[in-house]
Amino acid sequence: MSAPMNYLDGNAAAGELSRIFAMDITCAEGQCANCGAKRRFAEAHLYVQCPGLVARCALCGHVLLRLVTTEQHVFLDLHGMRYLSVDAAQQEASNEQPGLSPSSNSIRARLL
């Protein structure tokens, strides 16, 4: 008998993350700072049984992201990720967001 799943996939964080990011971060590729796995954020294991959201690496379980919203602040911790890479051309085609350069293939943010 296997343990019950008590998490959602990273897609469940789309609504909360859209309050911070203009692009759909669930489509972004990220790298786990612990094991080095490169996966789409949608594949992360999302835990919502706590104050806020906690996303963990699907391979090693390391915390990738923490998001807590209060009345006056939104706290975002991305220490568990080395980077997030978003395909800007794909985002522009799907969202038609102004201000993105169609000539750039991707936007990569290095998280320190």
Side-chain angles (χ1 to χ4, degrees), residues 1 8 12-13 26 28 32 40 42 63 66 68 70 75 84 100 102 107:
M1 184 163 106
L8 305 170
T26 62
C32 176
R40 297 220 179 269
V63 174
R66 283 175 242 177
V68 176
T70 66
F75 297 93
L84 279 174
L100 296 179
I107 295 174

Side-chain angles (χ1 to χ4, degrees), residues 17-18 23 34 41 44-45 48 53 56-57 69 71 75 92 105 110:
L17 291 174
S18 71
M23 296 179 162
N34 185 56
F41 186 79
H45 294 173
V48 295
L53 305 174
R56 293 183 172 272
C57 176
T69 303
E71 286 184 27
F75 297 93
E92 187 171 299
N105 292 330
R110 182 159 174 95

Side-chain angles (χ1 to χ4, degrees), residues 50-74:
C50 49
L53 305 174
V54 175
R56 293 183 172 272
C57 176
L59 292 180
C60 73
H62 183 73
V63 174
L64 301 173
L65 172 147
R66 283 175 242 177
L67 178 71
V68 176
T69 303
T70 66
E71 286 184 27
Q72 298 180 3
H73 295 93
V74 176

Side-chain angles (χ1 to χ4, degrees), residues 4-103:
M5 284 183 27
N6 60 352
Y7 61 85
L8 305 170
D9 68 34
N11 288 314
E16 286 296 315
L17 291 174
S18 71
R19 297 175 60 194
I20 299 172
F21 297 102
M23 296 179 162
D24 181 6
I25 296 302
T26 62
C27 296
E29 178 187 271
Q31 184 176 26
C32 176
N34 185 56
C35 72
K38 296 177 183 176
R39 297 226 167 156
R40 297 220 179 269
F41 186 79
E43 297 178 53
H45 294 173
L46 186 71
Y47 296 85
V48 295
Q49 304 89 356
C50 49
L53 305 174
V54 175
R56 293 183 172 272
C57 176
L59 292 180
C60 73
H62 183 73
V63 174
L64 301 173
L65 172 147
R66 283 175 242 177
L67 178 71
V68 176
T69 303
T70 66
E71 286 184 27
Q72 298 180 3
H73 295 93
V74 176
F75 297 93
L76 177 64
D77 174 12
L78 294 168
H79 278 94
M81 300 182 79
R82 289 198 180 121
Y83 70 83
L84 279 174
S85 179
V86 179
D87 184 339
Q90 180 181 4
Q91 286 292 319
E92 187 171 299
S94 64
N95 296 335
E96 297 182 13
Q97 296 253 344
L100 296 179
S101 169
S103 63

